[in-house]
Every structure is written in C-alpha cells, then in structure tokens.
Amino acid sequence: MQLITSALDLVQQHYIFPDTAAEIVAAVEARAAAGDYDGLDDETLAARVTEQFLATSGDRHLRLLVRAPDHRAATTEAEAEAAWADGQRLANHHIATVQRLDGNVGCIDLRGVASPGTAGTAIAAAMELVAHTGALIFDLRRNKGGDPEGVQLWHSYLFPDSDTHLNDIYDGETGSTRQFWTLAHVPGHRYLDRPVYVLTSAFTFSGGEEFAYNLKALRRATLIGEVTRGGAHPTARHPISATLEVAVPHARSINPVTGTNWEGTGVAPDIATPAAEAMTVAYRLALEHVLTTGTSQAVLAEAREALTAFSH
C-alpha cells in the first residue's frame, strides 16, 4: 500500500543506520506482500508496523504513529512546527508543577523537555522559584523526551559557567557533530553547591533520559528510581497522510564523559527503587541534607517535622 511505501522511503532516506534501514525495508515489505497490513485501521496499522520496526532495529524511536488531532491540518513543515509550538505552550512547556516542599526542598515535575526558543521564559521562571531552596528534586518519572537545547538550558542552571561539556549529537545526514556545552549566561540565579536528585522510571524516555544521563555522568545529581526506556537517537517526524506520520531517528548521542549513550540499555539509577517510592527516597535524602547544612531555625524546624512524618 502507498502509506507503507511512503513510510519506508522516509526510513531509507533518513535513518541514522543505513544498513539497518535496508533490513527494515525488506522485513516490512515482506509482511506487506503477505497481506499482514491489509484492511487495518490507523491505530492497528501503526502498532503493527512499529512492532516490526522495533523487532528489526531495536530502536524505540523508530515508529509509525497516529498524528495528534490538533496536528492533522498541518501539511507543511511550517504548519507542523506552529502546531507543535502551540501544543507545547498549552502544556506549559511540560512543566507540570514547581513546588517548595516543607524543609525548603525544591521540586520540579517535568513531563517533557521543550525548546528554549519557546519555553525559555517558563524554564527561567521555574528555576527562579526554586533558586533559594536547600536541595532540588527533578521528577522525570513521566518525562517522554524533547529538545536537546532544552536539556542544555536546564542543565546550565546547575553549573557555574560555560565550561561543562554536556553532550554531543552526531547527525547521520550531514556527517556533522554538534557539541552541547553549558551556557555562559542564564536568566536568573544558577543552582550551585546544593544537591540535585533526579527521579526516573521505566517510562522516562529520550530527552528525559539525556537529562538524567548527563547529570549522572558529570556527578551533578543522584538518580533515584528505575532503569529508563533506552532511546538515545534524536528523531524527526514526517507526515505521510492526514492521520499518520513516521518518526525516524537521524542522529545519535555521544556523551563526552562515557563515549557512548543509553540506547537500548536505558539509564541506570544510582539508587534503585520502584518508581512509586522514588519521591519518598529523594525527599528524605534532601531533608537530611538540609538538617546538616541549614542555618534558618524556621527551615530546620520544618525539615525535622517533615522527616519525622516519614516514621508515622
């Protein structure tokens, strides 16, 4: 069918591993010739083709997807980008909550990583609200990924200057490698000399994994929770109809500390615990830090009361 042909053409043109792309095309064409995709609705077709993509490549980013309803009118790249940006704005750039917990512990529930071109103001506002806390928790347990430049901005708040090399991305289409370093300037206060805890789950994916992996490699955060899903290949989405699009990885991450990435393996936490318990573990550690470093009697009283509540 034409939809399958269009999807496979895009895989062959753009996939980061050309040899694997040829294997994927052969496998899907064989199933199509056998009639495995005949008469399927969009959801079933997308799931079945994606299943074959994964079986051949092991790449969780390579997918046939049903397009979001709000994006179906977007037929050009500019329209798709505008629809995407509007969705990011309405989702508050994936910043679900920003809290000051008792004991002066900051907590940011981050469900994705938006582009700083649209989300920079929101990211700066979130970091300003936790700027004076004694410890900081990033909750990435429901983070499904996003923009490497967004990761770069978030991480720039956690280091003192522009001298920290965060990540590299090799683009297979251009043969070029882009380096990502912390930024020389961030709006507001940097978050330095205080502990950072990152919560992960088996759902955490892609840009959320980079967020965790970079900080673990640089020993800037303690990761608490579960091994993440394992997707390290930056991806572009290409519409093939009003209702379907194919997501094709065209690049791969190369961490400057480890020389590799988390593709297929996920990011392992420093403290392994079920995702549902990760917040409790992190909050306890943060409170213990506040109690050993804090000077405000009001904050110390809050921290003692919050820590005591764990034993009841």
Side-chain angles (χ1 to χ4, degrees):
M1 65 169 59
Q2 185 56 46
L3 288 175
I4 299 294
T5 300
S6 297
L8 294 180
D9 285 346
L10 288 162
V11 171
Q12 203 153 33
Q13 290 172 35
H14 300 292
Y15 190 51
I16 180 63
F17 301 114
D19 291 346
T20 304
E23 295 175 12
I24 293 165
V25 169
V28 174
E29 285 180 340
R31 290 191 63 177
D36 288 359
Y37 307 128
D38 293 349
L40 301 180
D41 59 35
D42 284 346
E43 288 77 8
T44 307
L45 176 64
R48 195 166 293 182
V49 172
T50 298
E51 178 185 72
Q52 186 61 59
F53 284 171
L54 181 61
T56 308
S57 69
D59 192 328
R60 295 184 182 277
H61 271 111
L62 182 61
R63 293 167 292 170
L64 184 64
L65 299 165
V66 178
R67 301 182 74 192
D70 289 344
H71 293 186
R72 292 179 183 179
T75 57
T76 67
E77 184 175 342
E79 289 172 342
E81 288 179 358
W84 180 261
D86 194 49
Q88 302 283 295
R89 177 181 60 81
L90 294 175
N92 198 37
H93 309 290
H94 307 298
I95 303 169
T97 61
V98 182
Q99 295 178 278
R100 178 201 178 274
L101 304 176
D102 286 347
N104 200 32
V105 174
C107 183
I108 298 175
D109 183 354
L110 189 61
R111 307 287 176 87
V113 185
S115 166
T118 55
T121 302
I123 293 170
M127 289 304 298
E128 193 63 20
L129 288 172
V130 299
H132 305 293
T133 56
L136 178 57
I137 300 168
F138 284 102
D139 187 350
L140 306 185
R141 290 175 293 177
R142 285 181 276 187
N143 192 298
K144 58 185 178 181
D147 193 320
E149 291 185 345
V151 175
Q152 179 185 32
L153 178 55
W154 282 107
H155 285 180
S156 293
Y157 280 92
L158 307 179
F159 296 91
D161 48 38
S162 60
D163 292 341
T164 301
H165 192 178
L166 298 169
N167 189 34
D168 291 339
I169 293 180
Y170 169 76
D171 190 306
E173 295 183 304
T174 64
S176 62
T177 298
R178 178 178 176 182
Q179 296 184 344
F180 289 82
W181 293 70
T182 47
L183 302 172
H185 168 77
V186 295
H189 296 84
R190 293 185 191 262
Y191 198 92
L192 308 175
D193 305 320
R194 285 158 288 172
V196 174
Y197 305 94
V198 174
L199 312 185
T200 62
S201 74
F203 177 84
T204 309
F205 191 54
S206 192
E209 294 179 281
E210 187 203 333
F211 194 114
Y213 192 92
N214 292 355
L215 295 181
K216 180 180 179 181
L218 292 164
R219 299 183 180 180
R220 182 59 185 95
T222 300
L223 274 55
I224 301 171
E226 299 170 342
V227 177
T228 60
R229 285 178 66 192
H233 295 154
T235 301
R237 296 191 179 193
H238 307 273
I240 58 172
S241 75
T243 56
L244 290 170
E245 62 189 12
V246 61
V248 184
H250 58 87
R252 58 186 174 89
S253 295
I254 307 169
N255 183 271
V257 176
T258 67
T260 184
N261 59 45
W262 58 96
E263 178 65 31
T265 62
V267 185
D270 298 300
I271 301 173
T273 188
E277 300 173 17
M279 183 63 192
T280 299
V281 175
Y283 189 25
R284 185 191 296 272
L285 290 172
L287 289 170
E288 290 171 350
H289 174 79
V290 169
L291 286 171
T292 59
T293 60
T295 58
S296 164
Q297 292 304 309
V299 168
L300 291 172
E302 269 188 1
R304 281 192 291 269
E305 183 176 352
L307 195 57
T308 300
F310 282 118
S311 61
H312 295 293

